[in-house]
Amino acid sequence: MGRDKTLSSGTAPPDTLHTAGSSQDVLAWPWAATGEELKQRVQDVKVLAVGAGGIGCELLKTLVMSGFKHIEVVDLDTIETSNLNRQFLFRKRHVGKSKALVAAEAVKQMRPDIDITAYQGNVNESRFDVDFFRRFDCVLNGLDNLEARRHINRLCLAAEVPLVESGTAGYLGQVSVHIKGRTECFECQPKPTSKTFPVCTLRNTPDKPIHCVVWAKEMLFPLLFGAPEASDLHEAPPAGSGIDAAAVTRNIADDPSCYQRAEGESSTHFAERMFRHLYCTKINELRNMEDLWRSRRPPQALDLDALRMPAYGDGGDQPAAIEAGVPATASSACKELGLSDAHSVWNDQQNAAVFLRAVALFLDGRSHELGSAQFDKDDLLAVELVTAAANLRATCFGISRQSLFETKGMAGNIIHAIATTNAIVSGLIVVEAMKLLARSFASCQTSFLQVSGSKRLVSRMSAPEPSAACMVCSTAQARLVLNANKMSLQQLVDKVLKGRLALIAPSLWCGTFSYEEGEGLEEDEITRNRKLLLLPLAQLPGGGVVHNSILHVDDQEQCFKAQLIITHREDWDDEQHPEGFYLGGDLPPALTEPSVEAAISETASPNEDVVSLTSDDDGVAAEAAARPVAKRKAIEGNTDSSKRPRT
Amino acid sequence: MSEESPSAEVSPHSNAVSGETSMDKSKRYDRGIRVWGAHGQEALEAAKVCLLNAGPTGTEALKNLVLGGIHSFTIVDGAKVTPPDLGNNYLLTADGLGMPRAQCAAECLKELNESVSGSYVEETPRSLMTSSPEFFKPFTLVIATQLGETDAVTIDGICRQHGVKLVLLRSYGLLGYVRPSVPEMCVTESKPDNKVDDLRLSNPWPELAAHAAALDLSATQEHVHSHVPYALLLLKATKHWKEEHGGKLPSSYPERTAFKDLVNSWQRHVDGIPLDEENFTEAISNAHKVWAPPSVSSELQAVLDDPCAASITQQSPDFWVLVAALRRFIEQEGEGQLPLEGSIPDMHASTQQYLDLQRIYRAKADADAAAVQAHTRALLEAAGRDPGAIPLPDIKHFCKHARSLRHVELEVGSS
């Protein structure tokens, strides 16, 4: 914890205070809000703020102005320029510094008598374990991603600490309260999963702008500048992904080494070679696969020589502006080319020029990143390259092109985010936290902030009761549909357990077979695991994981346990389930349905359209927290495949 | 800023010190622009805001505006910082005790965004309103907080007289109110939830009709046939139908079904089995666009009929000049139609066919905007203004959003 910093005023030992709230009387809400009793509890308790971003900054301010004195805050991220339109505890001079540390110092200045501890870290780290969470009277979330939300939910359940969960997107916002055994947990309602696209659509038959953007960002970018193994542009599809590994895809699998710069090759030459390879050679290869184009328009290759901007002359001469001494470390191809309007849509010539220049700039100016670069929505040059590369591909396939601004939004899963919404939501979080401290659990509410002219700004409903069908806070089983002959143990672990169930260190067993991950394994166990991971589920020892097997999964760090009942399916519809599996909460109906229905009829707000969503904050994708209300609109925008849980 | 003589008036026009390049700005404001758009951001960056009373509610509101990137702000507050202020206003610190509250708040708020300029007046709002009501004239927006009824009525009168927008707000414990007070709002970009496609399928202009007529479906190769944009298929089908039905469009359910059957019958067959061409599927599912084209909404009609557009004077705001020009266009060149928006939806088509079609729609939109421009020039000239006072890009922008123009009249406050 070397980077952590305690900003304690050194007055009271916090550990003796935090349990003060738990044994006290119920105070009547809302009258308690202005009473001395609650004021005292607010001063005595210890709260954890998870996230110091858009919601986090507002939340910390509201907490200290409301009299909270013992606060800890966790955030992994560092401050970026695009945070400054709403994360008001940060200044331009703080860009690059830890959000948690800067935010803690800023609120400490507002109220020097508070005791605040900041951690720059990922909430998934083992130091933030159940014992860590037990020290708090209440956990307040201001997160920006589903994985971390699920993780916190499980730890709060295990530690029996109440959780106030929140999210914002543009003018919309939501706050909910989760108390073990009393209200539903964060995962009682199914969450929309991030949108994924079939790999063969991305690679061979794109028909929407987003297909081209995802191709440029997730397949091309890592291949050119990042870790090539992160791209599956050149690989055959993984077995069990549902993609028929027919000749179609094998034919176009190509050698990753052709995406590497040859010895002594100039950056400009490399850029042009890539252009010809991607938009001429590869497109013509695809075009020759006639089976693909029976009912589709075949793609058209681009001719680089016809697309050169006048300034480029021929034979790869550099444009005048570059010769005139713009340093090779310049951060923007658009700047050099005079394309300053992020909202305009470039023509083919401009896209070609940006592509060539951006590739060359990356090689010349950022060679230290080569081999490990990752796409970042705040990296201007990367966004320029992705925009141009996606647009050129769009042209080949007759798809409409997008502006830089639009492409950035699509590639970065950017969620609209403004200070006002975050401020309102933070206020609501603190109100709910006050109700928890008053032990007035019956008055806890789920709040929705909405914009439609005719509706109330905030609509609220009582916090729903727990769902007996929940795998997380109850002991329900789920049905996992997959092809046991194709899906490997590795894919089960990565896609289902880590990807969908958000486990960090999963272990599983089925009959006599067991598998464990995590630190502290012996050398021979690691070797054994490595072999097992490659096997299809049906061929695992002990009879395999097959139709009707009961798979026990568990994550000790999260205190999570669940049972998955396997349904094997041979035929698989790649379009409908590009992930290659389906997870359903199908349960013995008599056991669960009536109580769920009862909970809905008692608690759901009757007539309102309840908008549900989640997440600022970093402006990165949100996932909707679904509510048990029939009329519901979920905000969805997550096309991000990177699953890095963050605080 | 006038820290030296705090009671002196400070012009809200003081130039912002621009410490940021345009690239920094687009980064800083990116997430906001995704909410209110580039024009919304422009309006924000031009806004001069005056805050009356630097209490917690007022400074919170101003904080969010400063973060969003307004042009400048001025705080009017006559109080000094006292210990209770430190308890509820996070902008104020113990260092500021005894100093003017307006000054302390202004300095802290300026730190939030270096491209926003800020100033303050150490005087109570009531005294300033009485002594110099003209003070408020240069502002875009006044945020009046924690005022009593009498003062609220006074500032409302001043703001309305000068055409300054006013938001009144007050909070007390868990209660509070926010009350906008503006006589009207003219909205060009109302950002409707549903975008409508204006394709003119039943009444194409000559170039579009000629383009559709030039295509002989039966003579095309299989590959071309399955990539004719659905708009062209529907244009051809509509012409065919009208010729056979005395110029009428399909109007009853059986007729509409027959119309779709007509489109379907043009599909290619192999061994008597239709090919299920995607463009034909699209044409059938979009057939309603033939008999239910977008209409002029009642809200838009109200804008067009507004008396402000009936007589244009030298003082008429540009919005109403453009509405008047729009009216003339609808009555004359438009023959009852709005200017064409110009964009077309995604269609299953070959790139070339799609681009050709797009070009025809764009050309018509440009021609319509040019006609609106001619009316605008005439109106401006007749009103004694420079005929070129409203530039073509603004007129094009207005035409593009013509279908969703809104005029909002708010209730008149108590006075």
Side-chain angles (χ1 to χ4, degrees):
Chain A
M1 297 204 201
R3 284 175 300 178
D4 306 340
K5 193 167 173 184
T6 301
L7 298 160
S8 172
S9 58
T11 46
D15 277 334
T16 59
L17 291 167
H18 80 278
T19 49
S22 54
S23 62
Q24 287 168 3
D25 300 335
V26 174
L27 306 179
W29 188 263
W31 298 275
T34 47
E36 281 304 311
E37 174 72 31
L38 185 59
K39 196 172 162 188
Q40 191 58 47
R41 289 185 196 178
V42 163
Q43 290 187 11
D44 292 345
V45 298
K46 178 181 270 205
V47 296
L48 175 66
V50 188
I55 294 173
C57 282
E58 298 286 343
L59 176 63
L60 289 170
K61 169 204 73 185
T62 312
L63 283 173
V64 300
M65 297 324 283
S66 308
F68 285 84
K69 288 220 166 7
H70 307 285
I71 303 168
E72 300 196 6
V73 56
V74 187
D75 197 309
L76 171 67
D77 282 348
T78 51
I79 296 158
E80 312 214 6
T81 307
S82 61
N83 300 146
L84 302 180
N85 80 323
R86 61 198 187 285
Q87 300 177 16
F88 76 103
L89 297 175
F90 310 142
R91 306 285 179 272
K92 219 174 154 189
R93 63 177 182 274
H94 294 132
V95 169
K97 293 187 174 165
S98 156
K99 285 186 177 180
L101 296 178
V102 174
E105 269 177 62
V107 293
K108 179 85 179 166
Q109 273 185 3
M110 288 178 191
R111 278 288 182 101
D113 62 333
I114 59 164
D115 151 37
I116 183 162
T117 307
Y119 304 92
Q120 183 183 5
N122 189 323
V123 281
N124 289 343
E125 291 167 32
S126 55
R127 57 176 163 153
F128 305 117
D129 57 5
V130 177
D131 289 334
F132 176 85
F133 278 79
R134 277 205 191 101
R135 297 186 300 126
F136 299 99
D137 295 273
C138 179
V139 173
L140 312 173
N141 268 0
L143 283 162
D144 65 355
N145 70 95
L146 184 58
E147 287 76 17
R149 283 191 169 94
R150 287 175 187 255
H151 184 74
I152 300 287
N153 179 50
R154 291 166 195 182
L155 284 165
C156 285
L157 286 168
E160 302 197 32
V161 175
L163 167 68
V164 184
E165 169 63 54
S166 72
T168 67
Y171 295 116
L172 307 178
Q174 178 176 321
V175 174
S176 54
V177 184
H178 307 284
I179 312 164
K180 187 176 182 181
R182 281 184 183 268
T183 73
E184 61 177 24
C185 84
F186 176 70
E187 294 173 273
C188 278
Q189 298 299 325
K191 304 285 178 284
T193 50
S194 61
K195 180 100 183 96
T196 53
F197 301 98
V199 177
C200 55
T201 302
L202 298 178
R203 257 197 266 184
N204 301 344
T205 54
D207 60 11
K208 293 193 175 60
I210 183 69
H211 295 152
C212 299
V213 173
V214 173
W215 172 86
K217 172 197 160 195
E218 292 180 13
M219 296 180 157
L220 180 63
F221 188 86
L223 208 48
L224 293 179
F225 309 124
E229 61 273 16
S231 163
D232 39 19
L233 185 60
H234 59 273
E235 280 172 15
S241 65
I243 296 163
D244 184 16
V248 168
T249 32
R250 275 211 203 97
N251 279 349
I252 68 142
D254 59 348
D255 178 8
S257 68
C258 86
Y259 294 95
Q260 278 160 22
R261 195 170 167 182
E263 195 71 30
E265 185 177 28
S266 78
S267 60
T268 313
H269 185 268
F270 175 78
E272 291 184 0
R273 187 161 65 80
M274 283 302 104
F275 187 104
R276 292 203 171 90
H277 181 72
L278 294 164
Y279 300 112
C280 187
T281 313
K282 300 301 290 180
I283 295 293
N284 281 330
E285 275 177 30
L286 272 179
R287 195 186 164 90
N288 289 337
M289 283 179 234
E290 288 170 8
D291 284 357
L292 287 175
W293 317 116
R294 291 258 151 83
S295 65
R296 294 185 182 95
R297 191 190 70 96
Q300 310 274 352
L302 298 178
D303 177 5
L304 177 58
D305 298 318
L307 288 177
R308 280 183 200 283
M309 279 179 58
Y312 270 75
D314 39 40
D317 287 349
Q318 300 210 321
I322 296 158
E323 285 178 331
V326 177
T329 51
S331 57
S332 163
C334 296
K335 217 176 191 173
E336 286 185 11
L337 296 162
L339 299 168
S340 57
D341 182 5
H343 297 272
S344 69
V345 178
W346 304 327
N347 63 29
D348 290 338
Q349 280 190 338
Q350 291 167 327
N351 279 308
V354 172
F355 177 90
L356 295 176
R357 198 61 203 134
V359 170
L361 278 175
F362 214 104
L363 290 185
D364 293 340
R366 295 166 61 171
S367 52
H368 57 286
E369 288 177 50
L370 294 179
S372 63
Q374 287 186 336
F375 176 82
D376 177 352
K377 65 187 185 309
D378 292 309
D379 175 350
L380 182 60
L381 187 61
V383 173
E384 288 172 355
L385 175 75
V386 165
T387 304
N391 279 340
L392 290 166
R393 187 166 172 86
T395 299
C396 294
F397 286 89
I399 302 167
S400 61
R401 297 180 302 247
Q402 310 286 312
S403 70
L404 180 96
F405 185 81
E406 287 165 321
T407 306
K408 181 177 168 184
M410 291 162 101
N413 302 307
I414 292 176
I415 292 296
H416 317 155
I418 54 173
T420 312
T421 311
N422 290 335
I424 299 171
V425 159
S426 305
L428 292 169
I429 295 173
V430 174
V431 169
E432 294 305 322
M434 297 265 203
K435 291 178 190 172
L436 288 172
L437 298 182
R439 303 190 63 73
S440 175
F441 301 125
S443 50
C444 287
Q445 287 172 307
T446 302
S447 307
F448 303 94
L449 193 60
Q450 43 201 10
V451 268
S452 246
S454 58
K455 288 175 197 150
R456 289 181 183 180
L457 180 67
V458 179
S459 75
R460 323 185 84 180
M461 61 186 226
S462 298
E465 287 178 18
S467 160
C470 181
M471 278 173 58
V472 178
C473 71
S474 186
T475 51
Q477 298 171 321
R479 190 167 67 108
L480 175 61
V481 187
L482 46 73
N483 184 339
N485 294 326
K486 276 195 170 170
M487 181 175 278
S488 67
L489 181 60
Q490 177 90 62
Q491 286 165 341
L492 176 78
V493 169
D494 290 348
K495 288 185 165 184
V496 184
L497 303 187
K498 292 182 179 168
R500 179 64 63 82
L501 292 176
L503 302 183
I504 309 290
S507 55
L508 60 90
W509 70 98
C510 179
T512 58
F513 168 73
S514 72
Y515 167 83
E516 199 177 349
E517 260 185 30
E519 294 160 19
L521 291 183
E522 301 290 331
E523 191 63 37
D524 57 331
E525 287 175 303
I526 295 172
T527 318
R528 171 181 170 265
N529 277 355
R530 213 173 278 146
K531 284 182 191 152
L532 288 173
L533 283 169
L534 299 173
L535 292 177
L537 297 179
Q539 291 171 29
L540 289 170
V545 175
V546 293
H547 193 62
N548 282 341
S549 291
I550 295 179
L551 188 68
H552 299 260
V553 296
D554 125 353
D555 184 320
Q556 293 203 330
E557 288 186 19
Q558 293 182 341
C559 301
F560 175 91
K561 276 193 175 112
Q563 293 178 10
L564 305 174
I565 302 168
I566 303 295
T567 300
H568 167 70
R569 192 187 286 164
E570 195 68 44
D571 305 325
W572 201 260
D573 182 356
D574 179 36
E575 293 289 329
Q576 209 185 338
H577 299 293
E579 309 89 351
F581 69 89
Y582 170 76
L583 188 65
D586 291 355
L587 293 157
L591 193 76
T592 60
E593 295 301 323
S595 64
V596 173
E597 290 300 322
I600 292 170
S601 59
E602 278 170 24
T603 58
S605 67
N607 297 318
E608 299 260 15
D609 252 0
V610 180
V611 177
S612 90
L613 74 153
T614 53
S615 164
D616 176 347
D617 129 294
D618 193 31
V620 187
E623 55 296 315
R627 312 277 13 138
V629 178
K631 285 197 284 172
R632 163 188 351 132
K633 202 158 98 189
I635 310 297
E636 202 187 343
N638 193 346
T639 54
D640 196 351
S641 68
S642 67
K643 294 287 187 237
R644 179 173 65 108
R646 306 186 314 172
T647 56
Chain B
M1 283 289 292
S2 60
E3 284 87 346
E4 300 305 311
S5 53
S7 62
E9 282 187 23
V10 180
S11 163
H13 285 296
S14 58
N15 287 325
V17 182
S18 180
E20 290 194 316
T21 66
S22 66
M23 204 166 278
D24 284 344
K25 263 194 174 174
S26 70
K27 250 190 186 176
R28 178 189 275 265
Y29 300 135
D30 182 277
R31 302 302 185 272
I33 295 170
R34 288 172 202 279
V35 177
W36 42 66
H39 288 103
Q41 186 65 31
E42 272 175 31
L44 201 55
E45 287 181 32
K48 301 177 176 106
V49 180
C50 177
L51 172 68
L52 303 187
N53 287 329
T57 321
T59 47
E60 179 73 39
L62 195 50
K63 175 207 84 181
N64 293 338
L65 287 167
V66 169
L67 289 170
I70 52 171
H71 175 272
S72 58
F73 66 85
T74 300
I75 298 178
V76 179
D77 190 312
K80 298 274 196 280
V81 179
T82 60
D85 288 324
L86 306 185
N88 63 18
N89 193 333
Y90 61 89
L91 285 176
L92 307 175
T93 59
D95 307 341
L97 283 171
M99 305 223 324
R101 202 162 70 163
Q103 179 186 355
C104 291
E107 281 170 6
C108 285
L109 284 167
K110 270 174 50 163
E111 265 194 47
L112 294 180
N113 190 339
E114 57 206 62
S115 48
V116 177
S117 60
S119 57
Y120 68 94
V121 178
E122 192 194 355
E123 192 174 351
T124 63
R126 180 180 293 176
S127 137
L128 189 60
M129 283 188 280
T130 317
S131 65
S132 42
E134 295 290 311
F135 173 85
F136 298 96
K137 198 175 171 182
F139 291 102
T140 319
L141 168 72
V142 171
I143 301 172
T145 72
Q146 312 297 89
L147 292 188
E149 183 74 12
T150 320
D151 290 340
V153 171
T154 310
I155 190 66
D156 189 48
I158 294 172
C159 286
R160 281 178 187 254
Q161 189 196 336
H162 296 308
V164 177
K165 297 176 179 70
L166 172 69
V167 178
L168 292 159
L169 50 99
R170 197 160 185 188
S171 60
Y172 186 81
L174 293 176
L175 308 175
Y177 69 76
V178 180
R179 185 171 174 183
S181 174
V182 283
E184 59 162 18
M185 296 274 283
C186 299
V187 186
T188 307
E189 286 173 78
S190 64
K191 302 197 164 42
D193 290 336
N194 303 310
K195 193 180 175 301
V196 292
D197 299 319
D198 188 3
L199 294 176
R200 309 283 163 97
L201 298 175
S202 59
N203 52 343
W205 62 95
E207 291 81 4
L208 181 61
H211 183 66
L215 176 78
D216 182 359
L217 270 182
S218 56
T220 58
Q221 292 178 336
E222 189 177 299
H223 175 255
V224 176
H225 193 265
S226 62
H227 289 86
V228 175
Y230 78 73
L232 284 183
L233 296 175
L234 290 174
L235 280 163
K236 291 187 92 66
T238 308
K239 181 162 180 279
H240 187 91
W241 178 278
K242 280 166 103 173
E243 281 166 6
E244 301 207 332
H245 293 80
K248 292 203 176 100
L249 293 171
S251 59
S252 62
Y253 181 75
E255 282 187 354
R256 288 170 182 177
T257 308
F259 179 87
K260 291 178 186 176
D261 290 344
L262 168 71
V263 176
N264 211 16
S265 71
W266 291 347
Q267 285 215 52
R268 289 276 162 89
H269 291 65
V270 172
D271 304 331
I273 303 160
L275 274 176
D276 281 333
E277 291 163 290
E278 203 171 328
N279 52 337
F280 279 84
T281 313
E282 279 186 356
I284 290 161
S285 63
N286 284 288
H288 63 275
K289 290 177 181 168
V290 171
W291 51 80
S295 59
V296 170
S297 67
S298 55
E299 291 107 321
L300 176 58
Q301 195 58 52
V303 175
L304 293 168
D305 295 343
D306 196 288
C308 294
S311 59
I312 295 303
T313 66
Q314 202 163 3
Q315 280 72 42
S316 293
D318 288 355
F319 180 84
W320 292 114
V321 176
L322 289 167
V323 172
L326 186 64
R327 271 177 53 161
R328 290 192 181 179
F329 174 86
I330 295 169
E331 284 159 12
Q332 300 173 26
E333 300 89 342
E335 295 170 8
Q337 300 278 337
L338 289 170
L340 192 72
E341 202 262 342
S343 63
I344 56 174
D346 205 19
M347 299 180 202
H348 186 81
S350 71
T351 310
Q352 198 51 52
Q353 295 209 61
Y354 186 82
L355 292 177
D356 288 347
L357 194 62
Q358 197 174 50
R359 201 171 301 123
I360 290 169
Y361 276 89
R362 285 234 177 100
K364 169 69 171 160
D366 287 346
D368 285 359
V372 174
Q373 184 189 30
H375 290 304
T376 308
R377 293 182 70 92
L379 282 159
L380 286 168
E381 194 159 23
R385 288 178 64 188
D386 169 15
I390 305 178
L392 183 60
D394 290 9
I395 296 170
K396 281 192 168 174
H397 178 251
F398 185 84
C399 290
K400 195 171 166 62
H401 296 278
R403 199 167 289 286
S404 52
L405 297 177
R406 293 291 176 271
H407 177 227
V408 185
E409 278 179 290
L410 294 154
E411 250 175 80
V412 178
S414 58
S415 54

